[in-house]
Amino acid sequence: MSKGLPKRSEDYSLWYNELVKRADLAENSAVRGCMVIKPYGFSIWEKMQAELDRMFKKTGHTNAYFPLFIPKSFLSKEASHVEGFAKECAVVTHYRLKTDDSGKGVIVDPEAKLEEELIVRPTSETVIWSTYKNWIQSYRDLPLLINQWANVVRWEMRTRLFLRTAEFLWQEGHTAHATRKEAEEETLQMMNVYADFAERFMAMPVIKGVKTESEKFAGAESTYCIEAMMQDGKALQAGTSHFLGQNFAKAFDVKFATKEGGLDHVWGTSWGVSTRLMGALIMAHSDDKGLVLPPKLAPIQVVIVPIFKSEEELAQIRVKALEIVDQLDEIGISVKFDDRDTYKPGWKFAEYELKGVPLRLGIGPRDLKNNTVEMARRDDFSKTLVNFEEEDLIGKIKETLDEIQSSIYQKAKSFTEEKTTAVDSWEEFVETLNNKGGFVAAHWDGTTETEDKIKEKTKATIRCIPLDQEEEDGVCILTGKPSKGRVLFAKAY
Amino acid sequence: MSKGLPKRSEDYSLWYNELVKRADLAENSAVRGCMVIKPYGFSIWEKMQAELDRMFKKTGHTNAYFPLFIPKSFLSKEASHVEGFAKECAVVTHYRLKTDDSGKGVIVDPEAKLEEELIVRPTSETVIWSTYKNWIQSYRDLPLLINQWANVVRWEMRTRLFLRTAEFLWQEGHTAHATRKEAEEETLQMMNVYADFAERFMAMPVIKGVKTESEKFAGAESTYCIEAMMQDGKALQAGTSHFLGQNFAKAFDVKFATKEGGLDHVWGTSWGVSTRLMGALIMAHSDDKGLVLPPKLAPIQVVIVPIFKSEEELAQIRVKALEIVDQLDEIGISVKFDDRDTYKPGWKFAEYELKGVPLRLGIGPRDLKNNTVEMARRDDFSKTLVNFEEEDLIGKIKETLDEIQSSIYQKAKSFTEEKTTAVDSWEEFVETLNNKGGFVAAHWDGTTETEDKIKEKTKATIRCIPLDQEEEDGVCILTGKPSKGRVLFAKAY
């Protein structure tokens, strides 16, 4: 590493971009807006995927795969859906290139024009519901609980690594049910699965809520979400679960024979999280030294760095280190022993801090003499000397990893609480947004018109109407009209 | 199921298509040439992925993700590469749709034209090597051992589920090395990984070999492959591993500082297998009753079907069945207890035969009285009555699954050997191809010209020059020119 990261307090945005690149998470590609997810970044995503996939399967879902391309005409079958997505679709118009006049370059062959243009999926409701039409005839075919892991493309004008890219990776669940009630329950269940994943694995506290009319998914009856608070006081939508009502079933004519002998349209849901979670994970915990990863998602949980001056010293340390490696391997804790002699210990310390390895063990000649290992935590930089003859080193490591996981969560939780302010006047509202940031809990009159005006004046949006909202009479901060409870405003990613 | 499958002997091609659809593996989508992989089919693919991914990681590779889109100009940087792929590329030319005059439909917005067209990756060498240029400076950065799981698109005119589709799923490994020798070793290693996977997991014997000049990958110096024999006597290329030489390093200017202080182009490899393996798996083992799956890749390894006339009988059987389920769960054997009363046992037997569940356990009231379970193998339809008081039922199940795995392999192995014929004259060659099919081992003069002529006359191609080819003086079956050993011809998928 040439030099330290920019400081969060000086330029948060630059800090984020530099961290993503220097910690080998991702980089921009030659194609505008499309990122390359580098091996280290991808290994974190793989851990997220594995856990989410396990949770989806545990709740009865199976995976399948639907086409990348969607006929243009499908998009317009659901009126609000097309409105939400048409403006950011990559369109395939031809299927062949040919040699140009120079004989060296290539041009698009004008004779290879498609009869109907294809769009690259920005989300798959339309192609999936056109398929479900053939899969669903009777109530016996329901519920249909399917998920897919896929890449999607939304042609964004301003992109940022992980947070907003033209192509991103995600999972999209698409389920079909016989009753409104069952579909609503599924929608809530999946929001809860996401919240559970965010809190228990990402160590990231989230607010569960429902989106307002203007913020809901194009084509949904209602959108549930989890919202997280980043260290710069901006909110980030981390996952959404949509109750589609019968909208897509009607658009694609998906009916089923009911138990009672009738014929009804199917009820639907869809829900997704994406590589955006990588951005959330980074911004929720990391510091000016680099990444801070929750142990449950860290590709390397423990790194052992030998401190040595000679080959002989290294050889002695190696014996002890490999013993620890074996013991950790056995209980499924991922560990790396970095015995390279091309880098000094100090360089390695900084490197693993940058990469967010939760726990570092240092072993030098004096440690061997004293039967000790120095254990250094990434999250709070605290150090402990463990005597491995007198104490249970492996047990201590396991325990410390658990402590780190819960400590990171607690820290983020306190931060989120501290950054949540209830205000009752327009002045307070504006002042809080400008000086403190974070979630601002305020009364709102429930109209899209007011919501739009507030956004225009302050750039803050309603992140959600929290599910645990308490009934409380109040008046809208902008219009003074009556309100029954507070909603959460914030500036957001 | 309405009626039986078509017979292989009567219409092999129809049998395949119907089997893929009826066993819920895949179906055609609304988009020409693009398939939907259905949940049951996808669960087999997931098992393949998991094992391959484990093997790749064991050999030192990590996963990453590169963009779906490739700038058109990248393709033409490697001359033979563009020639191989330009004619089958889906091209993105626009990034936005807009409402048409009716206000209901959408059209491509002519104002949203891309400056440079993007192609949807048919394979990722170009975009990856353009990235490697920034990742590789010194010998210390090598080897670079990366794999990606992705979707790719090749605009095929004639498509068939799994075997040839416009979009398919695959993995593509892309590695960079300091020396020719190391890259060649990697190429061979990955061919061996594929062969190992095919034989040990898919129970599918393969021939390892090298492709001729005209059959090698566009942009490679040499292509290694594994070739398998299908039941209709046609060969199927199941995986390829390419030694790229310095071709892509030169095209994208990827140089590294050598240990000796020089500057040299990097040596590359790439290797891939795809959802085509699903087609191979189906065609290698299945029969007129349906799928035959090797236990190691079967999503459901054991199914328990209760035979009952009353709720009371079912309740008694359930106790025993759930005991077996628990015991199998514990040792990681996937099992399903199908206690639906909406279908008769006979219907269920046929259904699980169609789906290829390797082992079926039947339990009826008489079995409970006698402490027995009827165990029926899918592969050879043999049945055994096991007394679970006197015998170790779970041990027996485990053992039988192993036996099925090896028995399926042996059957396919014998078949492949039987379908491999050495011929020494043109007449024999033609007759064997027409009447027997299979691999035909024959002498060839080594020229592309002769290879082309043989293809034109017989539709047979050289599948590979087998790696275990013995030196043997002979004369080319077509031209009579001298040859040093036999190559394998076949009609192929």
Side-chain angles (χ1 to χ4, degrees):
Chain A
M1 288 163 307
S2 38
K3 55 188 170 74
L5 283 173
K7 287 198 184 358
R8 282 166 298 170
S9 57
E10 287 170 10
D11 191 337
Y12 192 83
S13 174
L14 186 65
W15 165 81
Y16 175 79
N17 291 340
E18 284 296 303
L19 176 53
V20 169
K21 282 178 216 162
R22 294 209 209 163
D24 286 331
L25 301 176
E27 63 183 37
N28 289 309
S29 77
V31 182
R32 206 194 127 286
C34 291
M35 65 182 158
V36 172
I37 306 180
K38 298 175 80 172
Y40 190 65
F42 200 82
S43 64
I44 300 172
W45 175 243
E46 279 182 304
K47 295 207 110 182
M48 290 190 178
Q49 278 192 297
E51 184 51 35
L52 284 165
D53 199 66
R54 204 189 57 74
M55 291 171 110
F56 299 156
K57 283 176 177 154
K58 213 175 149 190
T59 44
H61 304 86
T62 52
N63 289 328
Y65 189 76
F66 296 87
L68 171 67
F69 299 130
I70 301 178
K72 189 191 62 184
S73 58
F74 275 30
L75 207 63
S76 43
K77 294 209 173 183
E78 212 290 330
S80 54
H81 192 67
V82 67
E83 206 174 306
F85 289 102
K87 286 183 187 147
E88 47 187 42
C89 284
V91 190
V92 176
T93 55
H94 293 72
Y95 57 87
R96 194 169 59 213
L97 300 172
K98 63 171 198 174
T99 314
D100 68 10
D101 288 342
S102 78
K104 281 178 187 166
V106 279
I107 57 165
V108 178
D109 186 342
E111 284 175 26
K113 197 169 181 322
L114 292 174
E115 270 181 49
E116 180 179 2
E117 296 92 347
L118 297 172
I119 63 165
V120 182
R121 62 180 164 217
T123 180
S124 302
E125 278 77 6
T126 55
V127 72
I128 287 180
W129 281 89
S130 82
T131 309
Y132 281 1
K133 180 177 168 53
N134 303 317
W135 292 3
I136 299 169
Q137 270 89 44
S138 139
Y139 69 92
R140 283 187 217 92
D141 302 320
L142 299 170
L144 193 55
L145 306 172
I146 294 182
N147 176 61
Q148 101 169 337
W149 290 96
N151 53 344
V152 284
V153 172
R154 295 177 188 177
W155 208 266
E156 303 279 358
M157 279 305 153
R158 299 181 63 182
T159 63
R160 280 189 80 185
L161 291 167
F162 290 127
L163 298 172
R164 195 173 293 278
T165 47
E167 182 194 17
F168 56 92
L169 303 184
W170 79 345
Q171 61 66 218
E172 46 182 325
H174 296 270
T175 70
H177 306 264
T179 64
R180 163 185 277 273
K181 184 162 171 289
E182 201 185 289
E184 282 178 335
E185 282 167 3
E186 166 81 5
T187 313
L188 280 166
Q189 171 183 255
M190 298 323 290
M191 177 201 65
N192 284 322
V193 163
Y194 289 153
D196 194 37
F197 173 75
E199 305 211 326
R200 288 200 300 123
F201 288 84
M202 298 175 67
M204 183 175 79
V206 293
I207 312 288
K208 301 179 203 176
V210 63
K211 290 282 180 192
T212 59
E213 274 302 300
S214 68
E215 295 275 334
K216 75 178 188 188
F217 176 74
E221 258 192 40
S222 55
T223 288
Y224 291 83
C225 63
I226 55 170
E227 294 281 327
M229 182 46 57
M230 302 294 104
Q231 292 180 68
D232 62 345
K234 283 171 79 175
L236 186 142
Q237 173 181 300
T240 46
S241 184
H242 316 295
F243 170 61
L244 304 177
Q246 294 175 313
N247 294 349
F248 285 90
K250 283 178 180 162
F252 289 90
D253 192 29
V254 186
K255 286 179 187 158
F256 73 106
T258 66
K259 227 172 198 165
E260 296 73 28
L263 199 64
D264 196 6
H265 282 110
V266 167
W267 299 86
T269 86
S270 66
W271 29 274
V273 295
S274 74
T275 35
R276 188 162 216 242
L277 286 182
M278 290 288 296
L281 184 73
I282 296 160
M283 289 204 297
H285 307 302
S286 301
D287 62 25
D288 293 350
K289 298 278 187 188
L291 275 183
V292 173
L293 292 176
K296 285 190 186 173
L297 295 178
I300 303 167
Q301 295 172 302
V302 177
V303 63
I304 305 177
V305 178
I307 293 124
F308 60 96
K309 293 220 172 78
S310 66
E311 264 301 315
E312 210 186 336
E313 279 180 4
L314 175 59
Q316 285 169 347
I317 295 167
R318 185 178 285 122
V319 174
K320 184 65 202 166
L322 293 181
E323 199 181 285
I324 299 172
V325 166
D326 280 349
Q327 289 174 307
L328 291 178
D329 266 349
E330 214 159 280
I331 56 167
I333 291 176
S334 62
V335 53
K336 177 175 171 177
F337 173 46
D338 185 352
D339 61 352
R340 288 178 295 175
D341 58 7
T342 38
Y343 297 97
K344 299 248 182 270
W347 186 94
K348 291 180 188 173
F349 287 6
E351 173 71 9
Y352 294 111
E353 277 171 7
L354 178 62
K355 294 280 180 76
V357 176
L359 204 56
R360 183 184 77 221
L361 303 183
I363 313 180
R366 195 182 311 163
D367 291 306
L368 284 188
K369 212 179 292 166
N370 301 335
N371 297 331
T372 54
V373 166
E374 191 193 62
M375 208 163 76
R377 278 171 65 157
R378 170 63 184 90
D379 62 324
D380 62 5
F381 302 105
S382 68
K383 288 175 187 171
T384 325
L385 212 59
V386 184
N387 186 307
F388 54 76
E389 288 290 319
E390 291 164 12
E391 297 170 81
D392 169 16
L393 174 64
I394 302 302
K396 200 108 188 164
I397 290 172
K398 202 164 176 296
E399 201 177 283
T400 310
L401 288 173
D402 289 345
E403 263 175 45
I404 297 173
Q405 181 82 29
S406 98
S407 170
I408 294 178
Y409 174 77
Q410 281 308 333
K411 195 178 166 192
K413 178 99 181 153
S414 305
F415 179 81
T416 303
E417 280 162 10
E418 185 201 306
K419 282 279 184 193
T420 305
T421 317
V423 306
D424 288 310
S425 72
W426 180 251
E427 293 67 35
E428 260 185 295
F429 181 77
V430 173
E431 203 220 295
T432 308
L433 278 174
N434 289 343
N435 300 331
K436 183 181 175 188
F439 289 123
V440 186
H443 282 280
W444 158 65
D445 65 17
T447 68
T448 300
E449 196 192 341
T450 302
E451 191 181 359
D452 288 346
K453 274 191 194 147
I454 294 176
K455 186 177 177 180
E456 201 185 305
K457 284 171 189 288
T458 64
K459 287 186 182 156
T461 49
I462 298 176
R463 301 317 303 152
C464 68
I465 304 161
L467 290 196
D468 63 0
Q469 191 198 44
E470 278 169 38
E471 237 182 82
E472 181 198 91
D473 283 323
V475 295
C476 175
I477 42 160
L478 186 71
T479 63
K481 287 183 188 160
S483 144
K484 289 283 178 201
R486 294 172 189 274
V487 298
L488 287 186
F489 286 89
K491 292 182 186 168
Y493 281 97
Chain B
M1 288 162 308
S2 39
K3 55 187 172 76
L5 282 172
K7 287 198 180 5
R8 284 167 296 171
S9 57
E10 287 170 10
D11 191 336
Y12 191 83
S13 174
L14 185 66
W15 165 82
Y16 175 79
N17 291 342
E18 285 295 304
L19 175 53
V20 169
K21 282 177 217 165
R22 294 208 209 166
D24 285 332
L25 301 176
E27 63 182 39
N28 288 308
S29 77
V31 182
R32 206 194 128 284
C34 291
M35 65 181 156
V36 173
I37 307 180
K38 298 176 81 173
Y40 190 65
F42 201 82
S43 64
I44 300 172
W45 174 242
E46 278 182 304
K47 294 207 110 180
M48 289 190 179
Q49 277 191 296
E51 184 52 35
L52 284 164
D53 198 67
R54 204 190 57 75
M55 291 171 111
F56 299 156
K57 283 175 177 157
K58 213 176 148 189
T59 44
H61 304 86
T62 52
N63 290 328
Y65 189 76
F66 297 87
L68 170 68
F69 298 130
I70 301 177
K72 188 191 64 183
S73 59
F74 277 28
L75 206 64
S76 44
K77 294 209 175 182
E78 213 289 332
S80 53
H81 192 67
V82 67
E83 207 174 306
F85 288 102
K87 286 182 187 146
E88 49 187 43
C89 283
V91 191
V92 175
T93 55
H94 293 71
Y95 58 85
R96 194 169 60 213
L97 300 173
K98 64 170 197 175
T99 313
D100 67 10
D101 288 341
S102 79
K104 281 179 189 165
V106 281
I107 57 165
V108 178
D109 186 342
E111 284 176 26
K113 197 171 181 322
L114 292 174
E115 269 183 49
E116 180 179 0
E117 296 92 347
L118 298 171
I119 63 164
V120 181
R121 63 182 163 216
T123 179
S124 302
E125 277 77 7
T126 55
V127 74
I128 287 180
W129 280 89
S130 82
T131 308
Y132 281 2
K133 180 177 168 56
N134 303 319
W135 292 3
I136 299 169
Q137 271 88 45
S138 139
Y139 69 93
R140 283 187 217 89
D141 303 321
L142 298 172
L144 192 56
L145 306 172
I146 294 183
N147 176 61
Q148 101 169 337
W149 290 95
N151 52 345
V152 284
V153 171
R154 297 179 187 176
W155 208 267
E156 303 278 359
M157 280 304 154
R158 299 180 64 178
T159 62
R160 280 190 79 183
L161 292 167
F162 290 126
L163 298 171
R164 197 174 293 277
T165 48
E167 180 194 17
F168 54 91
L169 302 183
W170 79 344
Q171 59 67 219
E172 46 182 326
H174 295 271
T175 71
H177 306 264
T179 63
R180 163 185 278 273
K181 183 162 171 289
E182 203 185 289
E184 282 178 334
E185 282 167 1
E186 166 81 4
T187 314
L188 281 166
Q189 172 182 257
M190 298 322 291
M191 175 199 66
N192 284 322
V193 163
Y194 290 153
D196 194 34
F197 172 76
E199 304 210 326
R200 287 201 300 124
F201 288 83
M202 298 175 66
M204 183 175 79
V206 292
I207 312 288
K208 301 180 204 176
V210 62
K211 289 281 180 194
T212 61
E213 274 301 301
S214 67
E215 295 276 335
K216 76 179 187 189
F217 177 73
E221 257 191 44
S222 54
T223 289
Y224 291 82
C225 63
I226 56 170
E227 295 281 329
M229 181 47 57
M230 301 295 104
Q231 291 180 68
D232 62 345
K234 283 170 81 174
L236 185 144
Q237 174 181 300
T240 47
S241 184
H242 316 295
F243 171 61
L244 304 177
Q246 294 174 313
N247 294 350
F248 285 90
K250 284 179 180 163
F252 289 89
D253 193 29
V254 186
K255 287 179 187 160
F256 73 105
T258 67
K259 225 171 198 164
E260 296 74 29
L263 199 64
D264 197 6
H265 282 108
V266 168
W267 299 85
T269 85
S270 66
W271 30 274
V273 296
S274 74
T275 34
R276 189 162 215 242
L277 285 183
M278 290 288 295
L281 184 72
I282 296 160
M283 290 203 298
H285 307 303
S286 302
D287 62 25
D288 293 350
K289 298 279 187 185
L291 276 182
V292 173
L293 292 176
K296 285 189 185 173
L297 296 178
I300 304 167
Q301 294 172 303
V302 177
V303 64
I304 306 177
V305 178
I307 293 123
F308 60 98
K309 293 217 173 75
S310 66
E311 264 301 316
E312 209 187 334
E313 278 180 5
L314 175 58
Q316 285 169 349
I317 295 168
R318 185 178 284 122
V319 175
K320 183 67 201 167
L322 292 182
E323 197 181 287
I324 299 172
V325 166
D326 281 348
Q327 289 174 310
L328 291 178
D329 267 350
E330 214 161 279
I331 57 168
I333 291 177
S334 62
V335 53
K336 177 176 171 179
F337 173 46
D338 184 352
D339 61 353
R340 290 178 292 176
D341 58 6
T342 39
Y343 296 98
K344 299 245 181 271
W347 186 93
K348 292 181 187 173
F349 288 6
E351 174 71 10
Y352 294 112
E353 277 171 8
L354 178 63
K355 293 280 181 75
V357 176
L359 203 56
R360 183 184 76 222
L361 304 183
I363 312 179
R366 198 183 308 163
D367 290 306
L368 285 189
K369 212 180 294 166
N370 301 335
N371 298 329
T372 55
V373 165
E374 190 192 63
M375 206 164 77
R377 280 172 64 158
R378 170 64 184 90
D379 63 323
D380 63 5
F381 302 104
S382 68
K383 289 175 185 168
T384 324
L385 212 59
V386 184
N387 186 308
F388 54 76
E389 288 289 320
E390 292 164 11
E391 298 171 80
D392 169 16
L393 174 64
I394 302 302
K396 199 107 190 167
I397 290 171
K398 203 165 174 300
E399 199 178 281
T400 309
L401 288 173
D402 289 346
E403 262 175 47
I404 296 173
Q405 182 81 29
S406 100
S407 170
I408 294 178
Y409 174 76
Q410 281 308 332
K411 194 177 165 194
K413 178 100 179 152
S414 304
F415 178 81
T416 303
E417 280 162 8
E418 186 202 306
K419 282 279 185 192
T420 304
T421 317
V423 305
D424 288 310
S425 72
W426 180 250
E427 292 68 33
E428 259 185 296
F429 182 78
V430 173
E431 203 219 295
T432 307
L433 279 175
N434 290 342
N435 299 330
K436 184 180 173 189
F439 289 125
V440 186
H443 282 280
W444 159 63
D445 65 17
T447 67
T448 300
E449 197 193 340
T450 302
E451 192 181 0
D452 288 345
K453 273 191 194 147
I454 293 175
K455 185 176 178 182
E456 200 184 307
K457 285 172 188 289
T458 65
K459 288 186 181 155
T461 50
I462 298 176
R463 302 316 304 153
C464 69
I465 304 160
L467 290 196
D468 63 359
Q469 189 198 48
E470 279 169 36
E471 238 184 81
E472 179 198 273
D473 283 324
V475 295
C476 174
I477 43 159
L478 186 72
T479 62
K481 286 182 187 160
S483 144
K484 290 281 178 204
R486 295 172 189 273
V487 297
L488 286 187
F489 286 89
K491 293 182 188 169
Y493 279 98

